[in-house]
Amino acid sequence: MENQAKRTPAGTFAPGSSGCLIGRRSVREKAARDEAERQQVEADLLRDLGRDASVTEALAIEAVSAQVVRARRMRAAGRHDAAEMAERLVLRGLGRLGVRQGAAKPMSGLSAAERIAAIGAARKAAEEAL
């Protein structure tokens, strides 16, 4: 009974009690995590755009990034049908922005040692071919 909200005899919530059983603090923390994730998605989309976004594009990217986070939360909660609809909206928004799917970008290039080794191997193969 301790995680039930306190109610008055009239059936309304008692002062200082909330109907949200996880508490206001948890809701604020979740909102802060969602916003941080949304900002990361927004930064990634702006980088993929490859140029400075216009005001209209920036607003669209903000909306798409919020929809991405929302779809992830719905899928994690087991609401796959709703998540699929949200993902369709994301794809539609990306299409309107002109962001297209492409080949995966490498996270980092080859190290200097790897480049030198590759050049050496290519030279050796060229010499053997002669």
Side-chain angles (χ1 to χ4, degrees), residues 2 4 38 42:
E2 73 181 46
Q4 286 189 353
R38 187 203 65 76
E42 181 177 2

Side-chain angles (χ1 to χ4, degrees), residues 46-125:
L46 286 169
R47 188 177 50 249
D48 280 354
L49 193 59
R51 56 180 166 74
D52 289 338
S54 68
V55 174
T56 307
E57 289 170 330
L59 291 172
I61 287 173
E62 182 179 349
V64 167
S65 62
Q67 195 68 25
V68 167
V69 173
R70 184 170 183 241
R72 288 176 180 168
R73 295 295 174 260
M74 286 188 283
R75 189 164 300 284
R79 298 176 51 210
H80 300 288
D81 291 343
E84 186 177 331
M85 292 303 293
E87 289 163 356
R88 287 181 186 179
L89 290 173
V90 167
L91 293 175
R92 185 182 301 167
L94 291 175
R96 289 185 178 169
L97 284 170
V99 176
R100 299 281 185 243
Q101 289 180 336
K105 297 176 187 172
M107 291 301 288
S108 62
L110 297 175
S111 69
E114 291 170 329
R115 285 193 303 262
I116 292 170
I119 291 169
R123 284 183 183 163
K124 186 176 180 180

